[in-house]
Amino acid sequence: MRAAFFDTHKYEMPFYKSLQDKHSLNFEYFEFRLNETTCKMASEFEVISCFVNDKINREVLAVLAKGKTKLITLRSAGFNHVDVNAAKEFGITVVRVPEYSPHAIAEHALAMILCLNRKLHRAYQRVREGNFSLDGLMGFDLFGKTIGVIGTGRIGYIFSKIMFGIGCKILAYDQTHSDQDTSHLSYVSLEELLKQSDVISLHVPLNKGTFHLIDKEALSLTKKGVFVVNTGRGALIDSKALINSLKSGHIGAAALDVYEEEEGVFFEDLSEKILQDDQLARLLSFHNVLLTSHQAFFTKEALENIAATTVENILNYTQKREFIASSLVI
Ligand code: NAI
Protein backbone atom coordinates (compact mmCIF):
# COMPACT_ATOMS: atom_id res chain seq x y z
CA MET A 1 0.00 0.00 0.00
CA ARG A 2 1.30 3.43 -1.01
CA ALA A 3 -0.11 6.56 0.60
CA ALA A 4 0.30 10.09 -0.76
CA PHE A 5 0.11 13.05 1.59
CA PHE A 6 -0.91 16.32 -0.06
CA ASP A 7 -0.49 19.91 1.12
CA THR A 8 2.15 18.83 3.61
CA HIS A 9 4.10 21.28 5.73
CA LYS A 10 7.48 20.85 7.31
CA TYR A 11 6.07 21.37 10.80
CA GLU A 12 4.04 18.14 10.58
CA MET A 13 6.75 15.93 9.11
CA PRO A 14 8.37 14.80 12.39
CA PHE A 15 5.03 13.55 13.70
CA TYR A 16 4.44 11.37 10.62
CA LYS A 17 7.99 10.19 10.01
CA SER A 18 8.26 8.56 13.45
CA LEU A 19 4.91 6.75 13.08
CA GLN A 20 5.74 5.76 9.51
CA ASP A 21 9.00 4.14 10.66
CA LYS A 22 7.33 2.47 13.62
CA HIS A 23 4.69 0.79 11.43
CA SER A 24 6.87 0.35 8.29
CA LEU A 25 4.45 2.35 6.14
CA ASN A 26 5.14 3.66 2.66
CA PHE A 27 4.19 7.35 2.72
CA GLU A 28 5.09 9.94 0.09
CA TYR A 29 4.80 13.62 0.93
CA PHE A 30 3.89 16.42 -1.48
CA GLU A 31 3.80 20.10 -0.66
CA PHE A 32 1.37 20.84 -3.50
CA ARG A 33 -2.37 20.34 -3.12
CA LEU A 34 -4.74 17.77 -4.46
CA ASN A 35 -6.78 19.42 -7.20
CA GLU A 36 -7.94 18.95 -10.79
CA THR A 37 -4.33 19.15 -12.04
CA THR A 38 -2.69 16.83 -9.50
CA CYS A 39 -5.45 14.22 -9.18
CA LYS A 40 -4.17 12.14 -12.09
CA MET A 41 -0.87 11.43 -10.35
CA ALA A 42 -2.71 11.07 -7.04
CA SER A 43 -4.84 8.29 -8.53
CA GLU A 44 -1.73 6.10 -8.57
CA PHE A 45 -2.02 5.89 -4.80
CA GLU A 46 -4.40 3.60 -2.93
CA VAL A 47 -4.53 5.95 0.06
CA ILE A 48 -4.52 9.74 -0.05
CA SER A 49 -4.20 12.11 2.86
CA CYS A 50 -5.55 15.65 2.52
CA PHE A 51 -5.69 18.89 4.47
CA VAL A 52 -8.33 21.62 4.59
CA ASN A 53 -7.64 23.33 1.26
CA ASP A 54 -7.18 20.28 -0.93
CA LYS A 55 -9.92 20.00 -3.54
CA ILE A 56 -11.98 16.88 -3.12
CA ASN A 57 -14.79 17.67 -5.52
CA ARG A 58 -16.66 15.44 -7.97
CA GLU A 59 -14.18 15.99 -10.79
CA VAL A 60 -11.19 15.06 -8.63
CA LEU A 61 -12.97 12.09 -7.05
CA ALA A 62 -13.97 10.75 -10.49
CA VAL A 63 -10.31 10.68 -11.56
CA LEU A 64 -9.21 9.09 -8.27
CA ALA A 65 -11.90 6.41 -8.57
CA LYS A 66 -10.76 5.50 -12.07
CA GLY A 67 -7.29 4.91 -10.64
CA LYS A 68 -6.23 3.05 -7.52
CA THR A 69 -7.56 5.29 -4.78
CA LYS A 70 -9.77 3.61 -2.19
CA LEU A 71 -9.30 5.73 0.92
CA ILE A 72 -8.99 9.44 1.66
CA THR A 73 -7.82 10.30 5.16
CA LEU A 74 -8.42 13.93 6.05
CA ARG A 75 -5.91 15.47 8.45
CA SER A 76 -8.71 17.73 9.71
CA ALA A 77 -11.98 17.57 11.61
CA GLY A 78 -13.95 19.67 9.10
CA PHE A 79 -14.97 17.96 5.85
CA ASN A 80 -16.89 20.71 4.09
CA HIS A 81 -14.31 20.55 1.26
CA VAL A 82 -15.35 17.00 0.36
CA ASP A 83 -18.16 16.18 -2.06
CA VAL A 84 -19.42 13.36 0.14
CA ASN A 85 -22.15 12.30 -2.28
CA ALA A 86 -19.64 11.90 -5.11
CA ALA A 87 -17.22 9.98 -2.84
CA LYS A 88 -20.03 7.62 -1.87
CA GLU A 89 -21.08 7.17 -5.49
CA PHE A 90 -17.50 6.35 -6.53
CA GLY A 91 -16.94 3.98 -3.60
CA ILE A 92 -14.12 5.98 -2.01
CA THR A 93 -14.08 5.86 1.80
CA VAL A 94 -13.40 9.19 3.49
CA VAL A 95 -12.21 9.35 7.09
CA ARG A 96 -11.17 12.31 9.21
CA VAL A 97 -9.74 13.21 12.60
CA PRO A 98 -12.95 13.94 14.49
CA GLU A 99 -11.22 15.24 17.58
CA TYR A 100 -7.58 16.14 18.08
CA SER A 101 -7.57 18.97 20.55
CA PRO A 102 -10.76 20.96 20.91
CA HIS A 103 -8.82 22.85 23.59
CA ALA A 104 -6.38 24.18 20.98
CA ILE A 105 -9.15 25.91 19.03
CA ALA A 106 -11.12 27.08 22.08
CA GLU A 107 -7.95 28.55 23.61
CA HIS A 108 -7.06 30.30 20.36
CA ALA A 109 -10.51 31.91 20.31
CA LEU A 110 -9.85 33.18 23.83
CA ALA A 111 -6.38 34.41 22.84
CA MET A 112 -7.86 36.40 19.96
CA ILE A 113 -10.57 37.92 22.13
CA LEU A 114 -8.08 38.99 24.81
CA CYS A 115 -5.64 40.35 22.24
CA LEU A 116 -8.29 42.40 20.42
CA ASN A 117 -10.09 43.60 23.52
CA ARG A 118 -6.92 44.76 25.29
CA LYS A 119 -5.39 45.95 21.98
CA LEU A 120 -2.25 43.86 22.49
CA HIS A 121 -1.60 43.75 18.74
CA ARG A 122 -1.37 47.55 18.75
CA ALA A 123 0.48 47.87 22.05
CA TYR A 124 3.14 45.41 20.85
CA GLN A 125 3.94 47.57 17.82
CA ARG A 126 3.59 50.83 19.69
CA VAL A 127 6.09 50.26 22.52
CA ARG A 128 8.69 48.92 20.08
CA GLU A 129 8.61 52.31 18.40
CA GLY A 130 9.12 54.10 21.68
CA ASN A 131 5.49 55.16 22.00
CA PHE A 132 4.35 54.40 25.55
CA SER A 133 1.06 56.29 25.36
CA LEU A 134 -2.17 54.47 26.32
CA ASP A 135 -4.42 56.46 24.00
CA GLY A 136 -6.68 54.17 21.99
CA LEU A 137 -5.79 51.05 23.96
CA MET A 138 -8.75 50.95 26.36
CA GLY A 139 -10.54 47.60 26.55
CA PHE A 140 -13.38 46.32 28.72
CA ASP A 141 -13.71 43.74 31.50
CA LEU A 142 -14.82 40.41 30.07
CA PHE A 143 -16.14 39.58 33.54
CA GLY A 144 -19.91 39.92 33.54
CA LYS A 145 -20.21 40.22 29.75
CA THR A 146 -22.52 38.02 27.69
CA ILE A 147 -20.84 35.53 25.35
CA GLY A 148 -22.88 33.96 22.56
CA VAL A 149 -21.58 30.54 21.62
CA ILE A 150 -22.90 29.28 18.29
CA GLY A 151 -22.35 25.53 18.24
CA THR A 152 -21.83 23.65 21.51
CA GLY A 153 -20.08 20.58 20.12
CA ARG A 154 -16.56 19.59 21.15
CA ILE A 155 -14.94 23.00 20.64
CA GLY A 156 -17.86 25.30 21.45
CA TYR A 157 -18.56 23.47 24.70
CA ILE A 158 -14.97 23.85 25.93
CA PHE A 159 -14.97 27.49 24.84
CA SER A 160 -18.18 28.07 26.82
CA LYS A 161 -16.57 26.57 29.94
CA ILE A 162 -13.47 28.76 29.55
CA MET A 163 -15.54 31.91 29.19
CA PHE A 164 -17.74 30.89 32.12
CA GLY A 165 -14.54 30.52 34.15
CA ILE A 166 -13.72 34.15 33.40
CA GLY A 167 -17.07 35.16 34.83
CA CYS A 168 -19.09 35.65 31.66
CA LYS A 169 -22.75 34.89 31.15
CA ILE A 170 -23.04 32.21 28.45
CA LEU A 171 -25.80 32.08 25.86
CA ALA A 172 -25.71 29.21 23.40
CA TYR A 173 -27.37 28.25 20.17
CA ASP A 174 -27.18 24.81 18.58
CA GLN A 175 -29.56 22.62 16.62
CA THR A 176 -29.00 19.90 19.25
CA HIS A 177 -28.25 20.46 22.91
CA SER A 178 -25.04 19.13 24.39
CA ASP A 179 -25.37 15.95 26.45
CA GLN A 180 -22.68 17.26 28.82
CA ASP A 181 -23.41 19.36 31.91
CA THR A 182 -24.84 22.63 30.56
CA SER A 183 -25.73 24.23 33.89
CA HIS A 184 -23.27 27.08 33.13
CA LEU A 185 -25.08 28.15 29.94
CA SER A 186 -28.56 28.96 28.63
CA TYR A 187 -29.74 27.78 25.25
CA VAL A 188 -31.60 30.48 23.35
CA SER A 189 -32.73 31.09 19.79
CA LEU A 190 -30.15 32.40 17.31
CA GLU A 191 -32.02 35.70 17.24
CA GLU A 192 -31.87 36.09 21.03
CA LEU A 193 -28.18 35.22 21.04
CA LEU A 194 -27.43 37.78 18.34
CA LYS A 195 -29.40 40.48 20.15
CA GLN A 196 -27.97 39.92 23.64
CA SER A 197 -24.32 38.96 23.18
CA ASP A 198 -21.29 41.21 23.65
CA VAL A 199 -19.06 38.58 22.03
CA ILE A 200 -20.30 36.06 19.45
CA SER A 201 -18.10 33.04 18.74
CA LEU A 202 -18.75 30.58 15.93
CA HIS A 203 -18.17 26.85 16.48
CA VAL A 204 -20.50 25.18 13.98
CA PRO A 205 -19.30 23.30 10.91
CA LEU A 206 -19.84 24.78 7.47
CA ASN A 207 -22.87 23.16 5.87
CA LYS A 208 -25.99 24.21 3.97
CA GLY A 209 -27.63 25.37 7.20
CA THR A 210 -24.68 27.45 8.36
CA PHE A 211 -23.40 29.05 5.12
CA HIS A 212 -23.36 32.84 5.72
CA LEU A 213 -25.07 32.31 9.08
CA ILE A 214 -23.68 35.71 9.99
CA ASP A 215 -24.93 37.88 7.15
CA LYS A 216 -26.20 41.44 6.84
CA GLU A 217 -29.50 40.60 8.53
CA ALA A 218 -27.86 38.72 11.41
CA LEU A 219 -25.37 41.54 11.97
CA SER A 220 -28.21 44.08 12.03
CA LEU A 221 -29.59 42.29 15.09
CA THR A 222 -26.34 42.47 17.06
CA LYS A 223 -25.44 45.05 19.71
CA LYS A 224 -23.35 48.02 18.64
CA GLY A 225 -19.76 47.23 19.52
CA VAL A 226 -20.20 43.46 19.32
CA PHE A 227 -17.09 41.26 19.00
CA VAL A 228 -17.39 38.61 16.28
CA VAL A 229 -15.06 35.62 16.55
CA ASN A 230 -14.73 32.98 13.86
CA THR A 231 -12.52 29.94 14.36
CA GLY A 232 -15.03 27.71 12.54
CA ARG A 233 -14.99 28.11 8.77
CA GLY A 234 -14.70 31.29 6.71
CA ALA A 235 -18.00 31.03 4.89
CA LEU A 236 -19.97 31.02 8.14
CA ILE A 237 -19.66 34.80 7.75
CA ASP A 238 -20.58 36.85 4.71
CA SER A 239 -17.31 38.81 4.45
CA LYS A 240 -18.91 41.64 2.47
CA ALA A 241 -21.54 42.18 5.17
CA LEU A 242 -18.84 42.00 7.84
CA ILE A 243 -16.75 44.65 6.08
CA ASN A 244 -19.76 46.96 5.72
CA SER A 245 -20.57 46.53 9.38
CA LEU A 246 -16.94 47.23 10.36
CA LYS A 247 -16.89 50.32 8.13
CA SER A 248 -20.05 51.67 9.73
CA GLY A 249 -18.49 51.22 13.19
CA HIS A 250 -21.24 48.85 14.30
CA ILE A 251 -18.90 45.92 14.97
CA GLY A 252 -16.47 46.54 17.81
CA ALA A 253 -13.93 43.98 16.63
CA ALA A 254 -13.61 40.86 14.53
CA ALA A 255 -11.29 37.97 15.28
CA LEU A 256 -10.93 35.75 12.26
CA ASP A 257 -8.88 32.58 12.12
CA VAL A 258 -10.65 31.52 8.94
CA TYR A 259 -11.76 33.39 5.84
CA GLU A 260 -14.11 32.31 3.08
CA GLU A 261 -11.56 32.75 0.30
CA GLU A 262 -8.58 31.51 2.30
CA GLU A 263 -7.58 28.83 -0.19
CA GLY A 264 -4.33 29.76 -1.95
CA VAL A 265 -3.56 32.44 0.63
CA PHE A 266 -3.62 30.94 4.11
CA PHE A 267 -0.64 28.73 4.97
CA GLU A 268 1.43 30.45 2.23
CA ASP A 269 4.23 32.99 2.46
CA LEU A 270 3.01 35.69 0.07
CA SER A 271 5.17 38.42 1.58
CA GLU A 272 7.01 39.00 -1.72
CA LYS A 273 3.78 39.14 -3.74
CA ILE A 274 0.94 41.61 -4.22
CA LEU A 275 -2.20 40.50 -2.40
CA GLN A 276 -4.86 40.02 -5.07
CA ASP A 277 -7.88 39.57 -2.81
CA ASP A 278 -9.31 43.08 -2.26
CA GLN A 279 -11.77 41.86 0.35
CA LEU A 280 -8.99 40.30 2.40
CA ALA A 281 -6.86 43.42 1.95
CA ARG A 282 -9.76 45.52 3.28
CA LEU A 283 -10.18 43.25 6.29
CA LEU A 284 -6.47 43.54 7.03
CA SER A 285 -6.74 47.33 6.95
CA PHE A 286 -8.96 47.54 10.05
CA HIS A 287 -7.11 48.04 13.33
CA ASN A 288 -9.96 46.23 15.10
CA VAL A 289 -9.66 43.08 12.99
CA LEU A 290 -7.27 40.37 14.09
CA LEU A 291 -6.66 37.81 11.40
CA THR A 292 -4.71 34.60 11.87
CA SER A 293 -4.03 32.15 9.11
CA HIS A 294 -6.12 29.13 10.18
CA GLN A 295 -3.78 28.47 13.08
CA ALA A 296 -6.26 27.75 15.87
CA PHE A 297 -5.51 24.03 15.67
CA PHE A 298 -1.76 24.61 15.70
CA THR A 299 -0.51 23.16 18.96
CA LYS A 300 1.98 20.36 19.59
CA GLU A 301 -0.72 18.22 21.19
CA ALA A 302 -3.10 18.73 18.28
CA LEU A 303 -0.46 17.83 15.67
CA GLU A 304 0.49 14.70 17.62
CA ASN A 305 -3.15 13.63 17.80
CA ILE A 306 -3.85 14.41 14.13
CA ALA A 307 -0.88 12.27 13.08
CA ALA A 308 -1.80 9.44 15.46
CA THR A 309 -5.43 9.28 14.25
CA THR A 310 -4.45 9.63 10.57
CA VAL A 311 -2.02 6.72 10.87
CA GLU A 312 -4.57 4.73 12.88
CA ASN A 313 -7.12 5.34 10.10
CA ILE A 314 -4.62 4.07 7.54
CA LEU A 315 -3.73 1.02 9.66
CA ASN A 316 -7.44 0.24 10.12
CA TYR A 317 -7.75 0.26 6.34
CA THR A 318 -4.64 -1.83 5.59
CA GLN A 319 -5.43 -4.32 8.34
CA LYS A 320 -9.11 -4.45 7.33
CA ARG A 321 -10.32 -3.33 10.76
CA GLU A 322 -13.41 -1.22 11.36
CA PHE A 323 -12.88 2.55 11.37
CA ILE A 324 -13.76 4.47 14.53
CA ALA A 325 -17.38 5.49 13.83
CA SER A 326 -16.79 9.20 14.42
CA SER A 327 -13.87 9.15 11.94
CA LEU A 328 -16.02 7.98 9.07
CA VAL A 329 -17.26 10.84 6.90
CA ILE A 330 -18.90 8.36 4.49
P1 NAI B 1 -18.71 19.23 16.56
O1 NAI B 1 -19.28 18.38 15.47
O2 NAI B 1 -18.29 18.59 17.84
O3 NAI B 1 -19.77 20.40 16.93
C1 NAI B 1 -20.46 21.12 15.99
C2 NAI B 1 -21.79 21.56 16.59
O4 NAI B 1 -22.44 22.35 15.60
C3 NAI B 1 -22.71 20.41 16.95
O5 NAI B 1 -23.14 20.54 18.30
C4 NAI B 1 -23.86 20.54 15.97
O6 NAI B 1 -25.12 20.17 16.51
C5 NAI B 1 -23.83 22.03 15.62
N1 NAI B 1 -24.41 22.33 14.30
C6 NAI B 1 -24.12 21.75 13.12
N2 NAI B 1 -24.86 22.29 12.13
C7 NAI B 1 -25.66 23.22 12.72
C8 NAI B 1 -26.65 24.11 12.24
N3 NAI B 1 -26.99 24.13 10.94
N4 NAI B 1 -27.25 24.93 13.13
C9 NAI B 1 -26.91 24.90 14.44
N5 NAI B 1 -25.99 24.08 14.96
C10 NAI B 1 -25.37 23.26 14.11
O7 NAI B 1 -17.53 20.04 15.88
P2 NAI B 1 -16.25 20.68 16.60
O8 NAI B 1 -15.21 19.66 16.77
O9 NAI B 1 -16.69 21.45 17.78
O10 NAI B 1 -15.75 21.67 15.44
C11 NAI B 1 -16.56 22.74 14.97
C12 NAI B 1 -15.94 23.29 13.72
O11 NAI B 1 -14.73 23.96 14.04
C13 NAI B 1 -15.49 22.23 12.68
O12 NAI B 1 -16.56 21.80 11.88
C14 NAI B 1 -14.47 22.98 11.89
O13 NAI B 1 -15.08 23.60 10.79
C15 NAI B 1 -13.94 24.03 12.86
N6 NAI B 1 -12.54 23.79 13.20
C16 NAI B 1 -11.63 24.81 13.00
C17 NAI B 1 -10.30 24.62 13.29
C18 NAI B 1 -9.30 25.72 13.13
O14 NAI B 1 -8.08 25.47 13.18
N7 NAI B 1 -9.71 26.96 12.96
C19 NAI B 1 -9.81 23.33 13.76
C20 NAI B 1 -10.83 22.35 13.99
C21 NAI B 1 -12.15 22.58 13.70
Side-chain angles (χ1 to χ4, degrees):
M1 187 282 310
R2 284 167 72 216
F5 280 58
F6 290 92
D7 198 10
T8 58
H9 300 87
K10 60 174 183 288
Y11 56 72
E12 55 186 335
M13 286 300 98
F15 299 102
Y16 288 96
K17 289 247 162 77
S18 59
L19 289 168
Q20 183 184 349
D21 294 345
K22 184 174 165 196
H23 298 288
S24 306
L25 291 162
N26 185 4
F27 291 170
E28 290 180 41
Y29 303 97
F30 302 103
E31 284 182 15
F32 54 83
R33 292 189 178 140
L34 177 69
N35 56 32
E36 292 83 354
T37 314
T38 57
C39 59
K40 184 79 186 86
M41 68 73 66
S43 70
E44 290 296 311
F45 293 84
E46 195 177 336
V47 174
I48 284 178
S49 176
C50 297
F51 196 42
V52 290
N53 288 319
D54 285 302
K55 277 215 181 124
I56 315 171
N57 57 24
R58 177 170 284 275
E59 193 183 334
V60 168
L61 286 161
V63 175
L64 295 178
K66 271 196 197 135
K68 296 181 182 157
T69 308
K70 296 279 180 281
L71 177 75
I72 296 179
T73 66
L74 305 174
R75 305 195 301 285
S76 62
F79 56 91
N80 53 286
H81 54 313
V82 182
D83 185 333
V84 287
N85 293 329
K88 196 171 186 177
E89 199 179 309
F90 296 133
I92 295 179
T93 304
V94 183
V95 285
R96 64 178 179 139
V97 184
E99 176 174 328
Y100 42 85
S101 173
H103 296 277
I105 296 101
E107 288 172 17
H108 190 75
L110 172 67
M112 293 184 98
I113 293 167
L114 289 172
C115 178
L116 265 175
N117 176 28
R118 305 307 295 268
K119 321 276 193 293
L120 301 183
H121 55 310
R122 302 182 73 189
Y124 176 79
Q125 299 290 355
R126 193 179 279 195
V127 292
R128 289 165 78 90
E129 294 194 355
N131 179 353
F132 298 93
S133 143
L134 295 183
D135 290 340
L137 300 185
M138 190 165 60
F140 56 81
D141 285 6
L142 276 169
F143 179 84
K145 294 295 182 296
T146 300
I147 311 296
V149 182
I150 300 185
T152 53
R154 297 176 184 87
I155 298 167
Y157 181 81
I158 290 167
F159 176 75
S160 72
K161 290 288 256 188
I162 292 174
M163 299 313 288
F164 182 71
I166 289 177
C168 299
K169 177 183 169 191
I170 313 296
L171 297 181
Y173 167 74
D174 197 307
Q175 63 188 10
T176 53
H177 291 192
S178 171
D179 51 16
Q180 301 191 68
D181 173 18
T182 54
S183 53
H184 64 292
L185 58 79
S186 309
Y187 279 106
V188 293
S189 67
L190 180 60
E191 189 178 330
E192 267 320 294
L193 182 147
L194 293 169
K195 282 181 176 165
Q196 291 187 34
S197 301
D198 300 297
V199 176
I200 295 171
S201 194
L202 298 166
H203 301 286
V204 281
L206 179 62
N207 55 36
K208 277 191 191 129
T210 60
F211 177 80
H212 283 186
L213 189 69
I214 303 300
D215 58 7
K216 186 178 168 191
E217 199 191 340
L219 287 169
S220 73
L221 296 175
T222 59
K223 281 185 185 177
K224 186 168 165 51
V226 67
F227 267 43
V228 177
V229 184
N230 189 7
T231 56
R233 282 292 180 267
L236 296 176
I237 299 183
D238 176 351
S239 305
K240 199 170 157 212
L242 181 75
I243 288 171
N244 286 336
S245 200
L246 281 158
K247 278 166 79 175
S248 74
H250 179 78
I251 290 185
L256 310 172
D257 183 54
V258 284
Y259 166 61
E260 52 182 331
E261 302 298 334
E262 71 182 52
E263 199 212 322
V265 179
F266 281 22
F267 308 119
E268 306 293 336
D269 178 1
L270 303 180
S271 55
E272 299 294 318
K273 300 195 173 145
I274 303 294
L275 190 56
Q276 295 299 317
D277 184 333
D278 292 350
Q279 204 166 243
L280 179 59
R282 187 66 179 104
L283 281 171
L284 289 169
S285 75
F286 294 105
H287 65 72
N288 53 348
V289 169
L290 179 63
L291 205 131
T292 51
S293 181
H294 207 135
Q295 76 172 74
F297 75 99
F298 201 48
T299 65
K300 181 176 167 286
E301 291 79 2
L303 288 175
E304 266 166 9
N305 292 336
I306 292 170
T309 305
T310 299
V311 170
E312 191 186 347
N313 280 337
I314 293 173
L315 288 171
N316 285 342
Y317 169 77
T318 56
Q319 296 171 8
K320 298 188 172 37
R321 295 192 304 242
E322 292 220 342
F323 291 107
I324 311 158
S326 55
S327 287
L328 262 177
V329 171
I330 60 137

